[in-house]
Amino acid sequence: MYVNNRNNEFVFALAGNPNSGKTTLFNELTGSHYEVGNWAGVTVERREGVCKYVYHKHESRLDTHEHTSVHKHGEIHNHIRIIDLPGIYSLSPYSAEEIITRDYIMKEKPDLILNIVDATNLERNLYLTTQLAHMGIPMVVALNMMDAVEKSGGKIDRDKLEEMLGVRVVPISAGKGTGIQDLVTESLEIASSGKLCGVNVTFPDDIEKAVSEIIREEKTSRMCAVKLVEGENWIEPSEETKKIVSGLRSKYDDISTLLASRRFLYIRRIVKTVLTGMDDHLDEMTDNLDSLAAHKYLGIPLFILLMFVIFQITFGPFGTMLSDGVDYLINGVFSSFVGRLLEFFGAGEFSRGLVLDGIISGVGGVVTFFPQIMLLFLFLSFLEDSGYMARTAFIMDKLFVKIGLSGKSFVPLLMGFGCTVPAAMAARTLDSEKDRRLTVLLTPFMSCGAKMPVYVAIAGAVFAEKAGYVIFGLYMLGILLAIISGVIFSKTILKGEAPPFILELPQYRMPTLKSTFHHMWEKVKDFLVRAGTVLLAASIIIYLLQNLTFGLQVTNDETKSIIGVIGKFISPVFAPCGFGSPEAAISLISGFVAKEAVVSTMSILYGASDLSALQATLASQLTPLAGLSFLVFVLLYVPCIAAVTAIRSELKSVKLTVFSIVYQVCIAWLMSFLVYNIGSLFV
Amino acid sequence: MLSLSALRDGEKAVIVSINTHGRLKRRLLDMGIVPGTEVTLVRRAPIGDPIEFYVLGYRLGLRKKDAENILCEQGSSVRE
Ligand SMILES: Nc1nc2c(ncn2[C@@H]2O[C@H](COP(=O)(O)OP(=O)(O)OP(=O)(O)O)[C@@H](O)[C@H]2O)c(=O)[nH]1
Ligand SMILES: [Mg+2]
């Protein structure tokens, strides 16, 4: 036996139901750290990685071992490419991300389908297995979550399952990392033999006959032929095929229901034989938690309470204390150390300024808020890993239908409090194009984590101990305007019926401390990387523009500097909103690069050495009302460039993207204007 | 026969027919809502909609108006 694949490299595609552990396995196989979460629809795009197990031909066998281990000399090892895909319930895709999976399997033809089956839920998961098996591609079933099955006292007769399904089955636990090497070894064996799965489910004779004829006629896979019979044309059928299909359809009035029932009947028989010791009962922990989380009256108040607690911890005394600590370390200890170091090496005034007043003050001004951002992401990660996310979609659906959305939109919108980019992408899981676009258009209203430093710095400066309330109010204002905009959009530019709501509610899982921290770290890392790259660059540029004239002369006169001139030119636009200073205008513009840059730019422009110095300057520059108006503008105006790019690619429309930008700017200006001018009447 | 949405909390039934069309029907079939499947109504969300069902060992949320189009027979099935 030997390899008949392209360039001696195998391609294995991970396919399975949503939430069955595909990405967990992918991360385990490739050593990556992609997002895993306890709800259906975490992965919304295709990802590739190289398997850490390599193989080489060893006499007649293919041997696998970890790439890092010592090689027997002279042997060439070969790689396996792993593809992670969004979860699907069947091969008839329903939402945008499911199409990606179906198309990949159908068109790209991997060497092997690794079908991940959640062993705690065989009946539903095996339905897809009966379909994948007939795609004309070798397949292995990875029976995942075996740890959970064993914990609840269940046993699965693997040999029997293999025999009945006609597919190789390997028990694993992706979460615990057990059975993985066996899985790779067995998969290689199947892939290199090119052996296809046997027929499993059979249909009534006349349907079987039609299917065989179509397979011959179209030279296609059994699955494709079955779908043609059901009236789902994966390929353009020939006249002959059309005749066979219409002949069959005149005999049966509902072939799809018949075939699906047959599959489930067949699966029920298998599960009855192979599975023992697991009673068909609702998981008790999930039931107890849900009787609170999804309660008729308590569900929504509990959610609001939970959000409030998260908010209090992040923005209250605890979070603030942590940030003050970091502020002291960076702007106090580190900055003076670097200052002395530069002096010691005799650095000139300009380069000292660039490092201290540009880079450290700019980047440091933002990194200060690192602990608070970490807390926020820690809570979000916990919500995602526990299984609560799907519940929020469930309890909010009725309200969301009223504003023209579906409860499922709630998950992307919640993610928007972290970052708008994944939030816009998560909208792919929604069931209709209209819902997707509407949700994407509303994500910028969910105040993202990067805006947090701006709120804390400015609200802290002008509102002192009342800052917490003001920030809470900002988040609420964002949500309120999202609701109003949602209603307006769904009645004007994005009309249409609310699509049906079909949502799986996964079992709760207690996330381990390790996995939650890991998950949080993956999110926080982006923030740190951005501080080290985009913010660093922006800080240097801002410092240079502040200290150079258009003739590239070094200047200390701010009004002559490039920034001074530009700022003075734009600032009148914001004067009616109460913050007509050039510094405010420039900060807002640099906020387009990254929202944290608003703070770093201010630190540089005001020459503030640390957070308290910045806040003192701000307090003298802005009245509380002007500060509030500025914050409202930051909350609402165009998201950063990365977010706009994501929004554009999810909306798939330049026109709508431009609309979104214009809408956000207009509404931001209008709201700040109203806040400042109506507020002035009272103050 | 009655519709799924007419079940009481905790009540069991067996699906008889699915009277919807197109994409929604396809999806329901693919998620195991086929004639002969046993379903339990678990609970209703705030304001009575959507409704959570227990089916084939997992939990499924459906809107009332979609559940109304699925007919069932009370009691548990003689699972062959
Ligand atoms: N107990 C247990 N849990 C697991 C195992 N593998 C994965 N999980 C959990 O299952 C959940 C889903 O895992 P993912 O890897 O995100 O699943 P997925 O199939 O990629 O999901 P989608 O991307 O939404 O299709 C997570 O909460 C994991 O922690 C396992 O072997 N045992
Ligand atoms: Mg995934």
Side-chain angles (χ1 to χ4, degrees):
Chain A
M1 117 181 134
Y2 202 46
V3 193
N4 54 354
N5 57 322
R6 354 171 164 131
N7 355 317
N8 248 3
E9 181 197 63
F10 279 113
V11 178
F12 293 179
L14 298 176
N17 277 189
N19 211 29
S20 59
K22 297 175 297 298
T23 305
T24 310
L25 178 63
F26 179 84
N27 287 343
E28 188 66 35
L29 283 173
T30 62
S32 350
H33 302 284
Y34 285 110
E35 171 129 10
V36 163
N38 188 14
W39 85 87
V42 179
T43 308
V44 292
E45 60 186 347
R46 177 179 125 189
R47 294 207 184 95
E48 299 199 17
V50 176
C51 185
K52 71 179 176 192
Y53 294 105
V54 293
Y55 66 94
H56 46 247
K57 202 169 72 167
H58 188 74
E59 281 154 20
S60 65
R61 293 180 306 129
L62 289 174
D63 259 4
T64 54
H65 58 79
E66 265 192 64
H67 194 186
T68 43
S69 59
V70 188
H71 298 144
K72 295 179 198 119
H73 89 134
E75 279 171 331
I76 305 165
H77 56 252
N78 300 290
H79 289 282
I80 306 165
R81 214 143 45 87
I82 311 282
I83 317 287
D84 187 21
L85 294 165
I88 49 175
Y89 290 108
S90 75
L91 286 168
S92 309
Y94 192 71
S95 43
E97 92 283 9
E98 295 183 20
I99 295 174
I100 298 175
T101 306
R102 205 274 313 266
D103 285 356
Y104 179 82
I105 292 170
M106 215 167 69
K107 296 180 183 145
E108 311 271 324
K109 294 255 166 189
D111 298 303
L112 180 99
I113 296 173
L114 252 177
N115 176 209
I116 317 300
V117 165
D118 175 354
T120 61
N121 186 358
L122 283 177
E123 279 197 62
R124 198 198 61 218
N125 276 255
L126 288 179
Y127 178 79
L128 177 66
T129 308
T130 65
Q131 296 198 331
L132 287 173
H134 295 149
M135 288 298 288
I137 299 168
M139 181 167 101
V140 168
V141 166
L143 210 51
N144 192 26
M145 315 231 182
M146 284 309 287
D147 58 311
V149 172
E150 277 154 25
K151 214 170 133 199
S152 57
K155 274 213 164 61
I156 296 175
D157 186 342
R158 162 197 163 157
D159 296 341
K160 197 85 201 158
L161 180 60
E162 225 166 47
E163 183 197 314
M164 292 180 86
L165 273 178
V167 181
R168 182 72 61 91
V169 176
V170 185
I172 65 165
S173 168
K176 297 246 170 336
T178 53
I180 310 292
Q181 188 166 4
D182 282 347
L183 178 67
V184 176
T185 313
E186 305 232 4
S187 301
L188 272 170
E189 193 188 313
I190 301 288
S192 56
S193 73
K195 210 180 89 196
L196 297 182
C197 318
V199 173
N200 39 47
V201 192
T202 52
F203 303 126
D205 287 343
D206 45 354
I207 297 182
E208 281 299 333
K209 187 164 153 270
V211 167
S212 314
E213 279 168 17
I214 295 174
I215 293 175
R216 229 171 303 132
E217 167 73 21
E218 304 282 356
K219 301 195 172 39
T220 184
S221 64
R222 177 174 159 88
M223 195 55 219
C224 181
V226 171
K227 281 290 151 192
L228 282 168
V229 166
E230 289 190 57
E232 249 174 74
N233 296 348
W234 290 1
I235 53 174
E236 194 44 51
S238 69
E239 286 309 312
E240 182 60 28
T241 305
K242 281 184 192 156
K243 232 185 283 162
I244 302 171
V245 171
S246 64
L248 210 54
R249 305 209 115 212
S250 63
K251 267 199 273 179
Y252 295 91
D253 54 81
D254 192 352
I255 293 193
S256 295
T257 304
L258 176 75
L259 299 192
S261 305
R262 280 284 185 138
R263 288 188 199 276
F264 279 110
L265 203 68
Y266 164 82
I267 290 163
R268 205 169 300 160
R269 216 172 292 139
I270 294 183
V271 173
K272 260 191 117 179
T273 319
V274 302
L275 179 69
T276 44
M278 281 237 282
D279 42 353
D280 178 37
H281 269 309
L282 288 155
D283 163 57
E284 232 173 86
M285 176 174 83
T286 299
D287 221 34
N288 292 337
L289 285 172
D290 266 352
S291 54
L292 279 177
H295 188 273
K296 214 180 279 186
Y297 306 113
L298 296 179
I300 296 177
L302 258 166
F303 171 75
I304 295 170
L305 183 72
L306 189 67
M307 288 295 123
F308 190 74
V309 169
I310 291 177
F311 195 87
Q312 272 303 316
I313 298 177
T314 311
F315 294 100
F318 182 68
T320 317
M321 188 188 75
L322 292 179
S323 288
D324 287 347
V326 175
D327 184 36
Y328 172 74
L329 284 180
I330 295 179
N331 295 318
V333 181
F334 183 67
S335 178
S336 63
F337 170 74
V338 174
R340 254 175 277 138
L341 207 67
L342 288 172
E343 220 167 314
F344 178 78
F345 285 111
E349 194 195 345
F350 184 78
S351 52
R352 240 178 37 221
L354 179 63
V355 173
L356 294 177
D357 304 333
I359 296 174
I360 294 188
S361 154
V363 177
V366 169
V367 173
T368 303
F369 299 98
F370 186 61
Q372 278 169 300
I373 289 182
M374 226 158 75
L375 277 174
L376 184 72
F377 282 132
L378 185 69
F379 290 120
L380 282 178
S381 301
F382 184 82
L383 291 185
E384 291 177 9
D385 291 342
S386 63
Y388 185 66
M389 289 298 249
R391 272 68 191 184
T392 62
F394 182 70
I395 58 175
M396 291 296 179
D397 183 62
K398 188 77 189 178
L399 291 177
F400 266 51
V401 170
K402 293 219 163 75
I403 60 168
L405 283 167
S406 131
K408 283 194 186 178
S409 303
F410 203 69
V411 175
L413 291 178
L414 258 185
M415 290 171 80
F417 288 123
C419 174
T420 311
V421 175
M425 287 178 71
R428 283 184 199 178
T429 56
L430 301 175
D431 300 341
S432 81
E433 191 62 27
K434 177 216 120 199
D435 262 30
R436 262 194 297 281
R437 289 185 153 178
L438 193 48
T439 308
V440 171
L441 283 180
L442 298 186
T443 46
F445 285 104
M446 302 294 117
S447 179
C448 80
K451 288 179 188 165
M452 216 170 80
V454 190
Y455 300 160
V456 179
I458 294 177
V462 296
F463 293 106
E465 67 272 21
K466 294 205 189 67
Y469 301 106
V470 173
I471 299 174
F472 189 70
L474 285 171
Y475 276 82
M476 290 298 128
L477 179 67
I479 295 171
L480 185 72
L481 287 171
I483 293 173
I484 295 173
S485 305
V487 174
I488 296 176
F489 293 163
S490 65
K491 294 225 156 85
T492 53
I493 50 171
L494 289 168
K495 276 191 233 167
E497 272 270 307
F501 174 86
I502 307 179
L503 176 77
E504 182 186 348
L505 297 160
Q507 286 187 7
Y508 285 103
R509 287 200 188 93
M510 186 62 205
T512 58
L513 213 57
K514 191 177 142 223
S515 72
T516 305
F517 267 97
H518 204 94
H519 194 166
M520 172 205 76
W521 179 243
E522 286 306 315
K523 294 180 186 215
V524 169
K525 219 167 63 182
D526 288 345
F527 174 81
L528 275 187
V529 167
R530 230 177 26 238
T533 53
V534 180
L535 278 187
L536 181 69
S539 297
I540 294 174
I541 292 169
I542 294 285
Y543 184 82
L544 292 179
L545 296 185
Q546 184 198 18
N547 289 281
L548 295 174
T549 64
F550 274 106
L552 299 183
Q553 303 289 313
V554 176
T555 174
N556 279 328
D557 181 2
E558 290 213 355
T559 53
K560 291 212 181 75
S561 71
I562 301 179
I563 272 210
V565 175
I566 300 178
K568 209 160 156 219
F569 182 69
I570 309 170
S571 55
V573 176
F574 299 111
C577 305
F579 46 90
S581 71
E583 286 87 354
I586 297 289
S587 311
L588 288 174
I589 292 173
S590 67
F592 187 58
V593 175
K595 287 288 164 266
E596 312 92 307
V598 173
V599 171
S600 46
T601 305
M602 284 194 156
S603 296
I604 298 169
L605 294 184
Y606 286 131
S609 59
D610 63 6
L611 182 58
S612 47
L614 175 65
Q615 290 186 327
T617 318
L618 284 170
S620 70
Q621 292 275 326
L622 295 167
T623 63
L625 193 57
L628 181 64
S629 161
F630 184 81
L631 289 177
V632 167
F633 194 90
V634 171
L635 166 74
L636 298 170
Y637 84 122
V638 208
C640 70
I641 192 151
V644 170
T645 313
I647 287 173
R648 202 211 79 88
S649 76
E650 296 307 315
L651 285 174
K652 293 191 209 71
S653 153
V654 177
K655 225 166 82 189
L656 266 182
T657 312
V658 172
F659 167 77
S660 164
I661 294 173
V662 173
Y663 184 78
Q664 298 292 144
V665 173
C666 290
I667 212 160
W669 194 89
L670 192 70
M671 287 309 292
S672 318
F673 179 80
L674 289 178
V675 164
Y676 186 67
N677 289 283
I678 295 177
S680 303
L681 300 178
F682 297 95
V683 180
Chain B
M1 248 196 308
L2 73 174
S3 82
L4 274 189
S5 63
L7 293 173
R8 274 166 290 140
D9 286 16
E11 198 173 10
K12 253 187 200 170
V14 178
I15 291 172
V16 177
S17 68
I18 301 112
N19 304 324
T20 50
H21 303 279
R23 253 159 46 95
L24 172 61
K25 174 147 189 187
R26 177 77 267 166
R27 184 60 161 203
L28 288 171
L29 292 176
D30 288 344
M31 292 192 79
I33 307 292
V34 298
T37 301
E38 210 176 85
V39 185
T40 312
L41 191 152
V42 181
R43 66 169 59 76
R44 291 162 206 270
I47 330 179
D49 194 14
I51 309 173
E52 178 185 340
F53 295 99
Y54 183 67
V55 45
L56 295 185
Y58 75 101
R59 294 144 194 280
L60 178 67
L62 290 180
R63 280 207 194 110
K64 200 168 146 197
K65 120 179 163 322
D66 298 321
E68 271 162 8
N69 293 321
I70 303 170
L71 296 183
C72 60
E73 205 121 31
Q74 281 149 299
S76 45
S77 68
V78 199
R79 284 190 154 199
E80 51 69 76

